[in-house]
């Protein structure tokens, strides 16, 4: 489990249901990264959406605040609570709600995405038997590539370098031509 995932679980366990932008601000992380982690946790049934119109959560001083939902709030499931209790709390700060919300700080966190390399043009040739394995690695990119089915499957198009490396390392009988 990554540090950001640990922070999310421990924070929601500590403060109760919250929404993504407030959670990102409280744990001082990029909002898009928090959103992806929350989506993953919902898919794994670690977090769930709050269905009630009114939501209550805790402040830093253990005061309980009841508020009308105007965002999508998330809370821990039983599985999530169990996972949160197993995490050794590391030294990270959970900021207090409202009083310390800093929009400029959140914007700088959101805009500080790691440099993402541009995809490069590549030709990938592999046997039919490996098509599902290649699809699993490339995911949505697979559908965007030009495909030729002959004696083997040939893909042409732009692919991220790390995906090409993953293909080379995990698929046998694959030929990858890039940087030409």
């Amino acid at each position: 489990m990554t540090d950001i995932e640990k922070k999310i679980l421990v924070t929601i366990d500590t403060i109760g249901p919250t929404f993504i932008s407030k959670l990102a601000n409280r744990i001082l992380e990029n909002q898009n990264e928090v959103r992806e982690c929350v989506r993953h946790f919902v898919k794994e049934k670690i977090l769930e959406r709050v269905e009630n119109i009114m939501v209550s959560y805790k402040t830093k001083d253990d005061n309980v605040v009841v508020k009308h939902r105007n965002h999508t709030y998330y809370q821990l499931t039983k599985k999530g609570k169990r996972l949160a209790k197993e995490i050794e709390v590391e030294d990270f700060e959970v900021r207090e709600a409202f009083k310390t919300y800093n929009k400029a700080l959140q914007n700088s966190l959101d805009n500080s995405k790691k440099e993402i390399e541009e995809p490069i043009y590549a030709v990938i040739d592999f046997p039919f038997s490996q098509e599902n394995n290649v699809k699993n690695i490339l995911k949505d990119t697979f559908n965007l590539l030009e495909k030729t089915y002959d004696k083997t499957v040939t893909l042409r198009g732009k692919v991220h370098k790390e995906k090409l490396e993953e293909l080379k390392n995990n698929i046998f009988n694959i030929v990858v031509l890039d940087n030409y």
Side-chain angles (χ1 to χ4, degrees):
M1 190 175 294
T2 65
D3 286 342
I4 190 170
E5 290 172 334
K6 289 178 185 177
K7 286 181 181 182
I8 290 169
L9 291 181
V10 170
T11 301
I12 293 177
D13 188 45
T14 303
I15 67 171
T18 190
F19 54 97
I20 291 173
S21 60
K22 175 124 349 253
L23 179 61
N25 181 265
R26 290 184 83 168
I27 64 174
L28 297 173
E29 293 290 346
N30 180 296
Q31 188 170 330
N32 294 326
E33 291 175 21
V34 171
R35 181 176 288 109
E36 288 305 312
C37 289
V38 167
R39 282 184 185 149
H40 170 73
F41 282 152
V42 168
K43 191 176 181 180
E44 296 294 320
K45 297 188 181 346
I46 295 170
L47 287 178
E48 62 187 0
R49 290 175 68 152
V50 174
E51 298 299 329
N52 299 337
I53 293 175
M54 301 301 282
V55 67
S56 58
Y57 59 92
K58 299 176 206 164
T59 64
K60 191 174 185 179
D61 302 322
D62 286 334
N63 296 330
V64 176
V65 176
V66 177
K67 184 177 186 282
H68 183 273
R69 270 189 332 126
N70 53 356
H71 296 283
T72 302
Y73 281 74
Y74 295 91
Q75 65 187 1
L76 293 172
T77 61
K78 287 182 181 180
K79 181 180 178 181
K81 289 177 184 175
R82 205 170 35 249
L83 280 172
K85 297 297 180 206
E86 292 173 4
I87 296 172
E88 291 184 25
V89 179
E90 298 173 18
D91 291 331
F92 68 86
E93 180 183 357
V94 176
R95 294 159 47 111
E96 189 173 354
F98 303 117
K99 293 180 183 175
T100 58
Y101 188 80
N102 183 332
K103 190 68 174 173
L105 173 62
Q106 189 62 49
N107 285 338
S108 70
L109 285 168
D110 291 344
N111 293 327
S112 67
K113 291 182 182 174
K114 296 174 186 153
E115 295 279 329
I116 298 173
E117 284 189 24
E118 286 295 315
I120 57 174
Y121 187 83
V123 177
I124 306 164
D125 194 56
F126 55 91
F128 289 106
S129 62
Q130 295 297 316
E131 186 171 13
N132 285 334
N133 296 332
V134 171
K135 281 182 184 177
N136 287 336
I137 291 172
L138 293 179
K139 302 207 184 312
D140 293 336
T141 304
F142 184 85
N143 297 325
L144 302 175
L145 298 173
E146 176 189 331
K147 296 162 198 63
T148 307
Y149 293 90
D150 193 13
K151 294 180 181 173
T152 59
V153 180
T154 304
L155 304 176
R156 288 182 174 78
K158 293 196 172 194
V159 181
H160 286 282
K161 214 170 194 171
E162 64 270 2
K163 292 295 182 187
L164 291 174
E165 290 302 316
E166 191 174 345
L167 286 171
K168 290 177 189 176
N169 294 333
N170 296 312
I171 308 295
F172 64 90
N173 292 336
I174 191 165
V175 177
V176 177
L177 301 173
D178 55 346
N179 291 334
Y180 62 92

